[in-house]
Amino acid sequence: MLAERAAEAIAERTGVPRHRVAVVLGSGWQQAAAEIGAPHASIAMPELPGFGRPSAQGHGGMVHSVTVNDNNVLLLMGRQHLYEGYTPQQVVHPVSAAIAAGAEIVLLTNAAGGIRGGLRVGEPVLIADHLNLTARTPLEGARFVDLVDAWDPELRTLAKELDPSLGEGVYAGLLGPQYETPAEIRMLATLGADLVGMSTVLEAIEARSRGARVLGISLVTNLAAGVTGQHLSHAEVLAEGQAAAPRLGKLLRGILERV
Ligand code: HPA
């Protein structure tokens, strides 16, 4: 299988037979990686079987191997999105490969628009649950996967112990790439969404189907459409990530030291 082939290549290229934790760094999270630690090996994603080249601006396209305390950690710098034309299987492949490479814990990060009143730009929010509104699934064939507590309660508790100011929210994953209309954001609020973005939900489903534990953190890079009168831009998303990088990096490092 492709995931196993990629896992073998990761082990070979990094010299690390098993990486116990994988972190996907999405939009706005690239600079946070520097705070986690210096990689002892790095691989360009296109050199790994089945991996593509993340193309959304601000995505690094590298896989780094870092050691935090005794944990071997894979940092996946960037991801592929459905809106780039990738299939659900291609979107989740790096997560599948990381789990095949030994990851028991998958930490998914992203940039999101804040829907719920009170959320502030620059604030990291733990994903407590999700709405998969992509109408797609990474699961091929008949695999019934339980998604109760898909976003691991113990890992969320651990993150909140580290940073008691962390809030939680429901993440709505949409196809994109257009940002939402104000009417769509009102609809999402009615459906129970606190955060909105264009990634992450398929990766979480795949990780749960493979038995890994999942922690998710959204960085609120903007308030969602119509919440303020402002227009939305990807440049704003990246700039907010840069501003929040030291805090995000410290949070990730703290989590990686304790899992
Ligand atoms: N909507 C969708 N995706 C996003 C947003 C948003 O407002 N901000 C960052 N990613």
Side-chain angles (χ1 to χ4, degrees):
M1 281 218 345
L2 199 53
E4 281 68 32
R5 274 182 42 215
E8 278 168 30
I10 290 169
E12 221 168 86
R13 294 279 304 270
T14 61
V16 175
R18 285 180 69 78
H19 286 87
R20 201 174 76 82
V21 186
V23 187
V24 177
L25 291 131
S27 299
W29 287 79
Q30 301 297 305
Q31 284 90 350
E35 312 272 331
I36 295 172
H40 57 76
S42 299
I43 312 164
M45 283 185 182
E47 292 171 16
L48 289 170
F51 278 61
R53 189 188 303 273
S55 63
Q57 241 178 19
H59 281 176
M62 299 293 291
V63 176
H64 299 305
S65 176
V66 293
T67 307
V68 180
N69 290 354
D70 290 337
N71 273 329
N72 292 317
V73 179
L74 268 188
L75 301 183
L76 300 159
M77 304 296 289
R79 54 159 60 89
Q80 289 157 301
H81 302 83
L82 291 171
Y83 63 71
E84 295 171 88
Y86 292 105
T87 64
Q89 281 73 35
Q90 287 173 316
V91 166
V92 303
H93 175 68
V95 165
S96 312
I99 294 169
E104 297 160 15
I105 293 173
V106 176
L107 212 167
L108 301 173
T109 68
N110 61 39
I115 298 176
R116 187 178 71 211
L119 289 178
R120 281 160 309 153
V121 170
E123 178 181 359
V125 180
L126 297 172
I127 300 177
D129 205 345
H130 76 240
L131 301 171
N132 175 11
L133 298 177
T134 66
R136 311 297 292 276
T137 174
L139 306 182
E140 280 178 43
R143 280 193 284 166
F144 298 106
V145 173
D146 175 34
L147 294 178
V148 174
D149 289 339
W151 300 92
D152 196 275
E154 279 177 35
L155 293 175
R156 278 188 274 143
T157 300
L158 184 148
K160 282 185 281 189
E161 282 167 8
L162 261 170
D163 183 347
S165 74
L166 278 177
E168 296 194 340
V170 173
Y171 175 89
L174 275 66
L175 187 56
Q178 70 282 353
Y179 290 112
E180 301 70 33
T181 63
E184 286 166 342
I185 293 300
R186 289 194 297 276
M187 173 188 75
L188 293 173
T190 303
L191 294 178
D194 302 304
L195 304 154
V196 60
M198 307 172 189
S199 67
T200 309
V201 291
L202 300 187
E203 293 157 24
I205 292 167
E206 178 69 13
R208 290 306 299 142
S209 83
R210 289 177 177 265
R213 297 167 69 197
V214 179
L215 179 67
I217 315 176
S218 289
L219 171 67
V220 178
T221 53
N222 57 281
L223 298 184
V227 174
T228 69
Q230 283 195 344
H231 290 273
L232 274 52
S233 77
H234 190 59
E236 172 194 26
V237 167
L238 298 180
E240 288 305 330
Q242 195 149 8
R247 178 178 179 197
L248 300 180
K250 231 181 274 159
L251 176 62
L252 291 180
R253 167 118 200 147
I255 292 167
L256 294 172
E257 281 170 353
R258 284 166 183 78
V259 292

